[in-house]
């Protein structure tokens, strides 16, 4: 049984690729699934070459680009 206190807890999900590193707060009750999704994302990112982004976008905000790629991956995965 999940209490109100437990449902309000979040855990950080760390994403690191190259020199970029970000943490995304994830509800504790779905953190394990988010961790698995992160691992799939990191494996697919290293196996495939990244699609070219707009020129300079990655250089100006690499953390934002990393989060955007992760969210796109998560969205594509949920639509499957």
């Amino acid at each position: 049984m999940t209490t109100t206190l437990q449902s309000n807890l979040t855990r950080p999900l760390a994403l690191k690729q190259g020199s970029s590193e970000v943490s995304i707060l994830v509800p504790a009750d779905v953190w394990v699934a988010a961790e698995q999704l992160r691992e799939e994302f990191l494996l697919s990112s290293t196996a495939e070459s990244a699609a070219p982004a707009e020129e300079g976008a990655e250089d100006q905000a690499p953390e934002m680009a990393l989060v955007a790629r992760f969210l796109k991956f998560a969205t594509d995965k949920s639509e499957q």
Side-chain angles (χ1 to χ4, degrees):
M1 184 171 142
T2 304
T3 66
T4 304
L5 178 60
Q6 289 174 327
S7 65
N8 290 332
L9 296 177
T10 58
R11 294 183 65 180
L13 180 70
L15 282 176
K16 183 172 183 176
Q17 208 169 42
S19 62
S20 300
E21 185 172 356
V22 294
S23 290
I24 300 171
L25 292 178
V26 175
D29 57 342
V30 295
W31 187 79
V32 172
E35 202 174 40
Q36 291 172 343
L37 184 65
R38 176 197 60 197
E39 293 304 314
E40 289 178 33
F41 168 73
L42 293 175
L43 287 173
S44 74
S45 296
T46 56
E48 302 171 2
S49 59
E54 287 184 28
E55 193 172 306
E58 185 88 18
D59 295 334
Q60 293 176 357
E63 291 83 6
M64 197 178 311
L66 175 59
V67 171
R69 286 193 315 272
F70 178 70
L71 292 176
K72 181 179 181 338
F73 178 82
T75 302
D76 291 347
K77 195 82 168 157
S78 72
E79 291 175 351
Q80 291 180 350

